Amino acid sequence: SLIEQINNEISLTSAEIENLKAEIEKGEKDLQNLKNEYADLIYHAYWRRDMNEKLMFILSANSFSQSYRRFRYLQELSNYRKEQALKIEELTAQLNNKLLTLKDAKTEKEKALNMKKIESLQLTNEKNKQTALVQNLKKQEKDLRKKLKDNQQKINSLNDKIAQLIAEEE
């Protein structure tokens, strides 16, 4: 029953490992997508990096409301880049945590497998001991039966002698 329990633990751990692997793969794809988007943002921001260009972009508007919208656009773009960077950091941290969890699950599975091997060895050793004991007992039984047979023959021989002596005396 202990080996069966260990097998169940191994099965559960294997399923957990597969789920974590799937989550990690999905997370890595999401992370790569975020990095690609962020790289595009940085690339475009690099070409528009000059502060004077930003100021000229705002001031070259046809109206004050258009200038304000352009200013808000640049602010939102900057905020979006910061949010993307934070998302990348968070997703990286989550993936690292899942990898640690996966390593822990793998270690747990290895421990369970080692326990199973140890239990199997112990059961094999116990079985070998019992087999040896049974063989020893069978040998002892055979020897005892032989002694019993020899003793029975001696008893029969003595009984015959006694019967013969009694018959001679009568």
Side-chain angles (χ1 to χ4, degrees), residues 74-133:
L74 292 174
Q75 279 184 328
E76 288 178 21
L77 185 61
S78 175
N79 289 339
Y80 182 72
R81 282 193 307 238
K82 289 176 186 173
E83 287 173 10
Q84 290 298 95
L86 287 174
K87 282 183 183 179
I88 289 171
E89 288 176 7
E90 288 174 2
L91 193 53
T92 302
Q94 287 175 357
L95 285 174
N96 287 336
N97 287 337
K98 286 180 182 178
L99 283 172
L100 288 175
T101 304
L102 182 64
K103 287 179 184 178
D104 290 344
K106 185 178 177 183
T107 303
E108 185 178 319
K109 182 178 179 179
E110 289 171 353
K111 285 180 184 177
L113 283 171
N114 288 336
M115 283 179 53
K116 181 180 176 181
K117 288 178 184 177
I118 290 169
E119 283 297 318
S120 293
L121 286 173
Q122 287 176 347
L123 286 173
T124 303
N125 289 339
E126 189 65 31
K127 184 178 177 182
N128 290 340
K129 286 179 185 178
Q130 288 179 353
T131 303
L133 181 62

Side-chain angles (χ1 to χ4, degrees), residues 4-5 33 71 77-78 84 120 136 142 144 153 164 167:
E4 185 177 321
Q5 180 183 358
N33 289 338
F71 175 72
L77 185 61
S78 175
Q84 290 298 95
S120 293
N136 190 22
K142 186 178 176 182
L144 289 174
Q153 285 177 351
Q164 205 176 31

Side-chain angles (χ1 to χ4, degrees), residues 2 20 31 55-56 59 89 95 98 138 153-154 167:
L2 184 59
L20 285 171
L31 180 62
L55 189 57
M56 289 304 292
L59 294 177
E89 288 176 7
L95 285 174
K98 286 180 182 178
K138 283 183 180 180
Q153 285 177 351
K154 288 178 183 177

Side-chain angles (χ1 to χ4, degrees), residues 28-65:
E28 286 175 345
K29 287 178 185 176
D30 291 345
L31 180 62
Q32 191 58 44
N33 289 338
L34 280 174
K35 284 182 177 181
N36 290 339
E37 288 176 18
Y38 189 69
D40 287 341
L41 281 173
I42 296 299
Y43 176 77
H44 292 296
Y46 176 76
W47 290 106
R48 295 183 204 112
R49 72 183 178 277
D50 190 11
M51 189 60 147
N52 290 334
E53 286 181 20
K54 289 180 184 179
L55 189 57
M56 289 304 292
F57 176 68
I58 294 170
L59 294 177
S60 67
N62 294 332
S63 67
F64 179 73
S65 64

